[in-house]
Amino acid sequence: MTTTLRFRYAKLGKVRFTSHRDVARMWERALRRSGLPVAWSKGFSPRPLLSFGYALPTGCESVAEYLDVHLAEEEGTPDRPDGEQSETSADEQRPWSPAGCVAALPGRLSPLLPQGVDVLAVGKLGDGVDSLQQAVTSCSWELEVLGVPAEELATRVEDLLDARSAVLRRERNGLQADGDLRPSVRALTVLGAVDDVPGQKVARCRLHAELATQPRGLRVAELVQRLGADLTLVRACRTQQWIERDGIRCDPLAMTGRAEDSFHAPHAEGRAS
Amino acid sequence: MDSLWSSIEPLLDGVSTPGRYVGGELGARSPVHDPGRVSWLLVYPDTYEIGLPNQGLQILYELLNERPDSLAERAYAPWVDMEAALRGAGLPLFSLENHLPARAFDVIAFNLSAELVYTNVLNLIDLAGMAVRASERAAGDPIVIAGGHCAFNPEPLAEFIDAFAIGDGEEVVGEINETLAAHRGTDERWSDRAAVLRSLAEIEGVYVPSLYEAHFANGRLLGVSPRLPDVPATVSKRTVADLADWPYPRQQLVPLIEVVHDRLNVEVFRGCTRGCRFCQAGMITRPVRERPAEQVFTMVQSGLERTGYDEVALTSLSTADFSGIEDTVRRIISDPQHGEHVAVSLPSLRVDAFTVGTAAEISRVRRTGLTFAPEGGTWRMRRVINKLIREEDLYGAVDAAFSQGWRRVKLYFLIGLPTERDEDVIGIAVLAKRCVEIGRRYHRSPTVTVSVGGVVPKPQTPFQWHGQDTIGELRRKIDLLRRACRGVRGLTLRWHDPEATAVEGLVSRGDRRVGAVIERVWRAGGTFQEWSERFDLRLWLDALAAEGLCLDDVVHRSRDRDEVLAWDHISAGLHRDFLWSDYQDSLNEAVVEDCRWTPCYDCGACTSGALEHVVASPVPPAGGSQGTGQDLSCGDRVPVRVLGR
């Protein structure tokens, strides 16, 4: 059985202005520096086998990004090609080992990633687990919008949630199409006004939203657009991704099996929140 | 000094590629400003993606941040959307490290790697909040310095730049800083700009244009001479004698967003004596100075480990000429520390099968395309430009490339060369078609892409006297080629816009009067002129007309031997007599050999600076004919059988 590791990481601050592809390259470089034995694809142009989840739009922050890393070494493979076992465990001699060092990976990888990208948790993935792209069904977001006071925003949110459908004209790939975004809005609440921003003149509110990613994703910008043309989205942070199966909603790291196989890095989460 | 970040941040949601403006690269410093350190803003006048990899800027960035008496931050040209957002919000050009306004710096220093960025230089000075003309700047404004290859004809920018640094920057940047630090200690920052500039002019390799007067009569330049007796009549370039003393950059910047040349770059030698007559870089960077192989290896090893890159480029003007290149690359790829997925790339491949063999061995990943630059379509033409590639070398190289797995071959050619006849232009198509045929032996649908560009005779080269082809003549030659290439499956022809070539000629060889043209184009909105979607010939023609100048006189006219050239007071060490006789040799199809391995022909580069070549191997590399002393009488012979197979 080959090993796949699932990482949860944050993307906060200035680095949020980089794209999904940029983050992929940051990870490739960090993993090479870490010495982790990442598996490579075969063929004319081999690439490291990394699978990223649902892309985070450029400019958004997140404390809930996920990445699956497929490792080249099989679990339990002896360190030495001749199979000889030495007194000290082979795990201790290697830069990384499946059994011993997974817990230490967040602390080892974060310094190799740009400031603002912090590894929060890691777990080993069982066999036959769906890829993140297939499995994730919805994402939770914390949003901040400028434009109207909290009471007015709450009324608009109520109207949207009460509506049977909410049509939005969207442009994608140069084509305009009307779409009903209502089914994609799983939850939407006004958390309150934000009044601690110095020099702020326009009303600023914080919202929580849970938006479906399947069958087709709803973008936070589209949601805000539907709530009113007088609103400006000034901050968006993905706070959670969800996998819902048979009515049960869980975190993608819950797919990593036994709880003790997941290792959270509390200091990093503290920083991220 | 307060950071502008909180004002810049809200703009970034509305602009393309916002990652250009946030900094945060691995290797970036966050220098602490204090009165004891001269602060430099190093500016590359093009987009972040083009400018970030520039090695010259990165070397100076490290050197200035290592010194106790200086510090450096960086800026790149904001794209037009960001520039509009900044101007709309009343914000200036800013640094990436601390997001400080450009005017907060003591020095703003531009890297000049291409001539078409000149309008951007003016735009950035303006965006920094200063008068674009040096003479109109206020006391207390930053000193504006420029360096790089284009500084070898500084005259088109003479009205806008306070001081130019000519040649290698490693040593002179420290001397400039010491001079500035001395003034800064006594001054209310640059309260006496004239005195600061006078002191800078005393440094070898520094040209202060305001201390020189350009004399004209009847529309011709008579000379550029010092206004004061103690200012040198000629400014000679600076040259670092031994690259081993300068193992920089030690901490190459790794950007957060994708840039050009997104890989580790290690310079293996500087200078080139192949003697290609059109090549300004080869002429102005002489002599050849190799980095010791051991140091190259150490820089590669530590660089890969630090950056996490999986590709390293060994850079130079002709990397296959590095002594012991095979040993060096073999050592890199067999180093277990890097794993099996490190690719080594050799830009500027020499055209021969031997070199391709080395390339095949080392680029085991991402083997997509190989590029060769025969430059001339016929052997006669290649003798004129002294790029001595025999046809059998080209076919051998192309055969080796296709047989070893490459499917795409790109060929670079110049048109508009001296003595060029239509048969030379058509010769490009003939070569390309043969290359396609070779490709068909190995692949069902091989691709050969031919890129042609009009030659721009550059200052400080043997072609500096030569009249550049007109836009119409280049178009006619491109049409000839298009007809000759038509209907050949797998052959693609690309060409550089002849209009942009004409303007490049204008700003390359222009004298001080061209400065006003550049300013008019900038004022009319002509920024990012090297970007084809932004280039506008009309702006340039209108500006030329308004200044009473024309392309014919500056660009297309051949000069006489004795005509004063705009850059005659700037010396790259090359004797004017050598350049002229090499030009005459060119017209007579006479060739010169590479003086690394053959006797000196006294171009002046070594003797002027009391320098010599630093080359580990006393003999030319095996294989290939480019100036390696082989029999060159049969270069146009089409081999019956391609060698090396």
Side-chain angles (χ1 to χ4, degrees):
Chain A
M1 187 182 98
T2 58
T3 305
T4 300
L5 298 177
R6 176 165 288 178
F7 291 93
R8 175 173 173 158
Y9 63 97
K11 185 184 179 190
L12 295 169
K14 288 177 182 171
V15 76
R16 75 181 186 278
F17 291 110
T18 60
S19 71
H20 188 63
R21 275 168 48 83
D22 294 328
V23 173
R25 276 190 295 272
M26 292 169 202
W27 268 100
E28 287 181 18
R29 292 192 296 261
L31 288 168
R32 270 194 296 272
R33 290 170 67 190
S34 75
L36 212 61
V38 178
W40 282 63
S41 65
K42 305 271 181 278
F44 203 61
S45 298
R47 302 294 315 160
L49 287 174
L50 312 180
S51 346
F52 286 86
Y54 192 64
L56 183 70
T58 301
C60 293
E61 294 185 301
S62 176
V63 292
E65 294 307 290
Y66 292 90
L67 161 67
D68 290 346
V69 177
H70 306 276
L71 299 184
E73 285 184 15
E74 296 191 356
E75 209 167 3
T77 306
D79 191 36
R80 298 175 182 196
D82 56 7
E84 180 196 333
Q85 297 285 336
S86 60
E87 279 303 300
T88 50
S89 152
D91 286 350
E92 285 167 29
Q93 296 174 350
R94 291 197 277 191
W96 108 276
S97 77
C101 295
V102 174
L105 280 175
R108 275 182 48 202
L109 281 166
S110 290
L112 304 181
L113 287 156
Q115 193 176 1
V117 179
D118 281 307
V119 184
L120 306 176
V122 62
K124 264 187 280 175
L125 224 51
D127 270 351
V129 174
D130 284 344
S131 76
L132 287 160
Q133 294 266 9
Q134 294 169 311
V136 170
T137 48
S138 66
C139 297
S140 291
W141 294 86
E142 199 172 287
L143 311 173
E144 283 182 29
V145 296
L146 282 183
V148 298
E151 308 77 53
E152 165 65 19
L153 189 61
T155 313
R156 294 187 191 181
V157 165
E158 232 169 278
D159 289 349
L160 176 66
L161 293 176
D162 287 346
R164 193 173 291 244
S165 69
V167 174
L168 181 74
R169 173 149 298 180
R170 310 188 252 211
E171 197 177 303
R172 281 194 187 175
N173 306 325
L175 294 173
Q176 287 201 337
D178 290 336
D180 183 5
L181 59 79
R182 179 61 193 88
S184 302
V185 183
R186 296 282 192 87
L188 189 59
T189 44
V190 178
L191 298 174
V194 184
D195 39 24
D196 55 352
V197 181
Q200 181 183 299
K201 297 182 194 76
V202 190
R204 181 174 179 132
C205 301
R206 190 171 288 141
L207 287 157
H208 168 265
E210 186 189 335
L211 305 177
T213 58
Q214 296 179 353
R216 113 190 240 318
L218 172 62
R219 297 176 183 182
V220 286
E222 292 168 340
L223 173 72
V224 172
Q225 189 190 341
R226 184 61 179 74
L227 286 172
D230 51 354
L231 294 178
T232 312
L233 179 64
V234 289
R235 181 170 178 268
C237 181
R238 179 143 68 188
T239 54
Q240 192 55 267
Q241 299 194 32
W242 300 107
I243 294 173
E244 188 175 317
R245 198 177 290 162
D246 308 323
I248 299 167
R249 208 177 62 158
C250 66
D251 175 300
L253 264 177
M255 311 303 291
T256 55
R258 291 175 299 139
E260 56 268 33
D261 267 359
S262 301
F263 299 94
H264 286 254
H267 64 283
E269 262 179 318
R271 223 175 338 164
S273 55
Chain B
M1 199 64 54
D2 286 338
S3 164
L4 297 172
W5 174 248
S6 61
S7 308
I8 293 163
E9 189 178 19
L11 307 179
L12 296 184
D13 282 321
V15 301
S16 54
T17 325
R20 290 164 171 165
Y21 310 109
V22 302
E25 304 87 351
L26 178 69
R29 317 292 202 281
S30 3
V32 178
H33 292 243
D34 84 61
R37 303 176 80 184
V38 177
S39 59
W40 293 63
L41 182 64
L42 305 179
V43 187
Y44 193 95
D46 204 331
T47 61
Y48 179 84
E49 291 93 320
I50 307 288
L52 182 115
N54 185 274
Q55 296 290 291
L57 193 146
Q58 291 200 24
I59 290 168
L60 299 185
Y61 180 69
E62 285 193 22
L63 291 173
L64 288 167
N65 280 317
E66 280 176 8
R67 294 176 65 99
D69 60 350
S70 60
L71 64 88
E73 302 196 22
R74 293 165 295 124
Y76 304 87
W79 187 245
V80 284
D81 57 354
M82 183 61 173
E83 185 203 336
L86 287 171
R87 290 188 187 274
L91 293 169
L93 178 69
F94 57 87
S95 67
L96 286 191
E97 285 78 1
N98 289 316
H99 288 93
L100 296 177
R103 277 196 81 235
F105 290 83
D106 298 325
V107 184
I108 298 182
F110 287 96
N111 175 299
L112 303 177
S113 295
E115 292 85 357
L116 284 178
V117 302
Y118 287 177
T119 56
N120 283 12
V121 172
L122 271 61
N123 196 42
L124 293 167
I125 295 173
D126 179 68
L127 194 58
M130 294 188 287
V132 294
R133 289 196 169 253
S135 59
E136 292 165 15
R137 273 181 219 134
D141 277 344
I143 303 286
V144 180
I145 297 181
H149 285 187
C150 299
F152 280 85
N153 175 18
E155 290 307 286
L157 286 180
E159 306 279 4
F160 314 106
I161 302 293
D162 291 315
F164 289 91
I166 315 293
D168 293 339
E170 282 92 340
E171 289 166 350
V172 77
V173 73
E175 294 165 30
I176 292 172
N177 195 75
E178 278 157 26
T179 298
L180 292 175
H183 276 273
R184 202 170 173 275
T186 56
D187 266 2
E188 182 75 22
R189 191 177 93 172
W190 318 143
S191 60
D192 188 352
R193 286 181 88 82
V196 177
L197 296 179
R198 283 290 301 278
S199 299
L200 287 176
E202 290 169 13
I203 302 171
E204 196 189 338
V206 174
Y207 172 60
V208 177
S210 58
L211 298 178
Y212 295 77
E213 178 135 24
H215 309 276
F216 295 93
N218 305 320
R220 284 276 183 280
L221 179 70
L222 297 182
V224 179
S225 55
R227 294 177 198 274
L228 301 164
D230 55 342
V231 173
T234 302
V235 177
S236 295
K237 72 160 178 174
R238 295 296 293 268
T239 306
V240 169
D242 191 349
L243 225 49
D245 296 338
W246 304 95
Y248 291 89
R250 292 178 200 267
Q251 302 195 11
Q252 186 187 308
L253 296 167
V254 181
L256 300 182
I257 67 169
E258 190 169 16
V259 299
V260 302
H261 311 311
D262 204 353
R263 60 191 180 204
L264 182 69
N265 294 295
V266 174
E267 185 184 27
V268 298
F269 67 86
R270 201 174 291 178
C272 180
T273 42
R274 285 284 173 185
C276 304
R277 288 166 174 142
F278 55 85
C279 179
Q280 187 190 39
M283 292 291 162
I284 63 177
T285 60
R286 294 172 175 211
V288 173
R289 289 146 292 152
E290 286 189 356
R291 192 183 293 289
E294 190 58 37
Q295 190 179 62
V296 169
F297 181 72
T298 310
M299 288 175 76
V300 170
Q301 196 176 42
S302 63
L304 290 174
E305 190 177 352
R306 191 186 70 84
T307 61
Y309 275 126
D310 62 349
E311 183 181 354
V312 54
L314 302 180
T315 66
S316 75
L317 292 170
S318 178
T319 297
D321 291 336
F322 182 68
S323 300
I325 182 70
E326 307 97 82
D327 291 346
T328 301
V329 293
R330 230 164 258 148
R331 198 168 159 205
I332 293 167
I333 58 169
S334 58
D335 183 2
Q337 195 185 320
H338 306 142
E340 56 185 312
H341 294 294
V342 166
V344 181
S345 63
L346 308 176
S348 321
L349 269 190
R350 211 175 51 216
V351 184
D352 56 59
F354 178 78
T355 309
V356 175
T358 311
E361 198 179 322
I362 61 184
S363 51
R364 292 166 301 189
V365 287
R366 279 170 309 195
R367 194 181 287 181
T368 49
L370 263 195
T371 302
F372 301 109
E375 309 289 5
T378 57
W379 175 243
R380 192 193 71 79
M381 200 76 263
R382 293 193 294 276
R383 290 177 72 93
V384 168
I385 60 178
N386 204 47
K387 181 119 191 186
L388 303 172
I389 296 162
R390 294 174 303 183
E391 307 224 335
E392 66 182 43
D393 292 327
L394 175 64
Y395 299 138
V398 168
D399 189 285
F402 282 124
S403 69
Q404 292 177 59
W406 277 282
R407 281 145 209 274
R408 278 207 320 262
V409 165
K410 212 193 237 175
L411 303 173
Y412 281 155
F413 291 97
L414 289 169
I415 53 173
L417 292 162
T419 78
E420 186 173 68
R421 307 166 193 148
D422 285 357
E423 71 215 43
D424 297 312
V425 176
I426 296 191
I428 295 172
V430 174
L431 286 186
K433 282 184 209 170
R434 287 229 171 89
C435 291
V436 176
E437 284 164 21
I438 292 170
R440 291 229 179 87
R441 294 183 207 157
Y442 303 99
H443 303 289
R444 213 152 46 85
S445 47
T447 311
V448 174
T449 303
V450 170
S451 290
V452 293
V455 72
V456 175
K458 288 283 168 95
Q460 321 278 1
T461 71
F463 289 170
Q464 63 182 357
W465 289 274
H466 188 72
Q468 183 176 328
D469 264 7
T470 61
I471 295 171
E473 180 65 0
L474 286 178
R475 285 215 181 102
R476 189 187 68 78
K477 288 173 178 171
I478 290 166
D479 278 343
L480 273 179
L481 257 184
R482 289 173 69 182
R483 276 200 294 277
C485 291
R486 196 166 289 162
V488 182
R489 200 166 47 86
L491 178 56
T492 312
L493 179 67
R494 298 217 172 104
W495 59 90
H496 191 66
D497 178 8
E499 294 184 351
T501 304
V503 171
E504 192 187 331
L506 171 73
V507 284
S508 293
R509 284 196 296 174
D511 56 41
R512 219 170 257 214
R513 294 170 299 175
V514 171
V517 175
I518 294 167
E519 184 175 348
R520 279 180 188 277
V521 172
W522 163 64
R523 290 197 187 277
T527 57
F528 288 102
Q529 292 297 285
E530 73 285 17
W531 291 69
S532 55
E533 73 261 40
R534 302 265 314 155
F535 176 77
D536 187 350
L537 179 67
R538 198 69 252 163
L539 295 177
W540 292 93
L541 294 179
D542 290 349
L544 278 165
E547 293 298 327
L549 298 169
C550 63
L551 286 179
D552 279 343
D553 191 60
V554 185
V555 181
H556 306 309
R557 182 176 60 85
S558 281
R559 277 78 162 160
D560 295 333
R561 174 189 184 142
D562 298 324
E563 181 171 337
V564 173
L565 303 172
W567 51 93
D568 274 346
H569 57 302
I570 305 294
S571 170
L574 304 162
H575 300 315
R576 207 176 195 271
D577 288 349
F578 158 73
L579 291 175
W580 178 261
S581 67
D582 202 39
Y583 180 40
Q584 298 310 304
D585 283 349
S586 157
L587 302 178
N588 296 320
E589 302 164 25
V591 303
V592 294
E593 290 179 342
D594 191 321
C595 60
R596 248 174 299 196
W597 305 296
T598 57
C600 174
Y601 46 75
D602 194 21
C603 71
C606 294
T607 47
S608 313
L611 297 158
E612 51 189 23
H613 295 302
V614 182
V615 182
S617 167
V619 292
S625 59
Q626 285 177 263
T628 53
Q630 297 175 31
D631 178 15
L632 297 172
S633 59
C634 58
D636 55 349
R637 184 172 62 88
V638 178
V640 182
R641 187 177 65 86
V642 172
L643 294 181
R645 294 227 35 89

